[in-house]
Amino acid sequence: MEREQSVPSRRDRLLGGLWGALVGDALGVPVEFRPRATLEREPVTDLREYGTHSQPRGTWSDDSSLLLCTVESLLDGFDTADLGRRFVRWYQQGHWTPWGQVFDVGVTTREAIDNLARGVPAEQAGPGYERSAGNGSLMRILPLALHSASAPPAELLDRVHRASSVTHGHPRAQMASGIHCLVAGALLDGADARTAYARAIAQAREYYADSPYAADLPHFARVLGGEVQRLPRAEIQTSGYAVHTLEASLWCLLNAGSFREAVLAAVNLGDDTDTTGTVTGGLAGLHWGLAAIPADWRDALARRDDVAALFERFVAVIEGTT
């Protein structure tokens, strides 16, 4: 394994998490839906162009678009109604898309946005049926973890669940997002990956022991067992199911020695490569910091200057300098 030695500052972790998510997404877009066996023969080692969605090099997907909408919304504080309006603007007008149009959207997210556009209240818009426990809120939730990092765990998780419900109302989708945010908060505090994981699962076990979440705890048995990193690669799944994406991103983070190693491991797992890359990239960027993300990958991203300006404003809000 490669090893990153420098200890990043809190600011570098914040920016690393944000940029890391977009980079992971862009690495995954050209190979989305490709099976693992195909990527074992021709692994991703760098940003590619075209591929699955016929997009230029450095293109990010709906994952990052909705993450960027979340960042923008949080500049003015936590408001799920505002968040919902920005999601509708993204879907209908191409807001925070890389090239002005939407080229990919999940089924549950589209249903929720249609609900929002019809006037359904934001926190009631996300479907809550069994098949809606997808990763569409997990992929965009990281900015909320950074924005609410100083909040007590119960307050953070309440906000995460409410933000998740804008597109995904199923408890499992909310819990996956919650556990992810607990890990992210610990990484932002400077904990190493194993310590951050252990701290998060202790908090999650306590919070989710009660209704309405207790009934879904068995689905998180592998994550909450504290040994997800020991699972064989063949047992790591990368469908659009929120639990699978959470497991895969933690597995990649805990078994990597650098940002590059983590995100390439994530993308080369195949299938839902953009989302596994996004979630892993966010955690890995928090852990190893901005400097660990290859500069040529960041520089190649679509709308780099716009993204950079937004991220600087967001970090300034978090640091209380505006």
Side-chain angles (χ1 to χ4, degrees):
M1 288 186 186
E2 302 172 32
R3 294 291 168 188
E4 302 285 351
Q5 299 296 330
S6 61
V7 177
S9 67
R10 185 177 181 85
R11 173 182 170 80
D12 287 342
R13 291 187 193 277
L14 288 167
L15 289 170
L18 296 167
W19 282 108
L22 265 67
V23 164
D25 187 1
L27 285 164
V29 164
V31 293
E32 187 178 15
F33 308 130
R34 290 192 186 177
R36 189 172 303 178
T38 298
L39 293 174
E40 285 173 349
R41 293 191 298 271
E42 299 179 6
V44 174
T45 59
D46 200 351
L47 289 173
R48 295 182 180 181
E49 57 186 355
Y50 305 116
T52 301
H53 297 285
S54 298
Q55 298 293 318
R57 185 173 186 265
T59 297
W60 24 269
S61 74
D62 57 321
D63 299 39
S64 292
S65 290
L66 293 175
L67 183 149
L68 292 166
C69 286
T70 302
V71 170
E72 186 179 57
S73 180
L74 289 168
L75 293 175
D76 295 318
F78 177 65
D79 181 345
T80 54
D82 180 78
L83 192 63
R85 287 191 291 270
R86 294 179 195 276
F87 290 175
V88 172
R89 185 179 172 197
W90 161 73
Y91 186 59
Q92 294 184 345
Q93 302 175 30
H95 184 57
W96 277 119
T97 56
W99 311 113
Q101 60 183 4
V102 175
F103 65 85
D104 189 23
V105 59
V107 173
T108 302
T109 297
R110 182 172 59 241
E111 181 178 348
I113 291 176
D114 287 343
N115 289 338
L116 288 163
R118 291 200 311 271
V120 174
E123 294 181 31
Q124 299 172 30
Y129 49 80
E130 181 75 17
R131 290 181 61 82
S132 69
N135 56 21
S137 59
L138 175 60
M139 70 190 192
R140 60 170 169 82
I141 207 70
L142 179 65
L144 185 54
L146 308 183
H147 186 268
S148 299
S150 61
E155 182 179 340
L156 167 65
L157 291 174
D158 176 67
R159 291 183 179 182
V160 168
H161 299 157
R162 291 169 60 196
S164 174
S165 69
V166 176
T167 57
H168 289 69
H170 195 283
R172 232 170 287 158
Q174 297 177 11
M175 293 166 73
S177 294
I179 294 168
H180 171 65
C181 285
L182 291 171
V183 175
L187 292 171
L188 181 59
D189 284 345
D192 63 78
R194 300 279 171 104
T195 302
Y197 173 44
R199 188 175 103 178
I201 61 176
Q203 293 169 330
R205 284 180 188 141
E206 178 179 359
Y207 186 89
Y208 292 127
D210 298 323
S211 180
Y213 302 104
D216 285 287
L217 271 178
H219 296 278
F220 293 89
R222 301 206 306 183
V223 167
L224 297 179
E227 298 291 340
V228 73
Q229 72 274 9
R230 296 183 182 275
L231 294 171
R233 184 172 183 264
E235 292 186 18
I236 300 299
Q237 300 180 67
T238 49
S239 70
Y241 179 37
V243 177
H244 288 168
T245 304
L246 178 66
E247 288 183 351
S249 62
L250 290 171
W251 185 87
C252 292
L253 173 73
L254 292 163
N255 285 303
S258 69
F259 175 87
R260 181 191 292 268
E261 186 179 347
V263 292
L264 291 179
V267 169
N268 285 312
L269 288 172
D271 297 318
D272 198 4
T273 51
D274 58 335
T275 303
T276 309
T278 299
V279 179
T280 301
L283 293 176
L286 279 168
H287 183 33
W288 283 290
L290 182 65
I293 303 173
D296 60 322
W297 286 358
R298 284 191 285 123
D299 291 344
L301 291 178
R303 299 184 62 181
R304 186 192 183 286
D305 291 345
D306 293 336
V307 170
L310 178 65
F311 286 169
E312 288 294 335
R313 289 176 63 200
F314 184 62
V315 170
V317 167
I318 293 173
E319 294 182 331
T321 58
T322 59

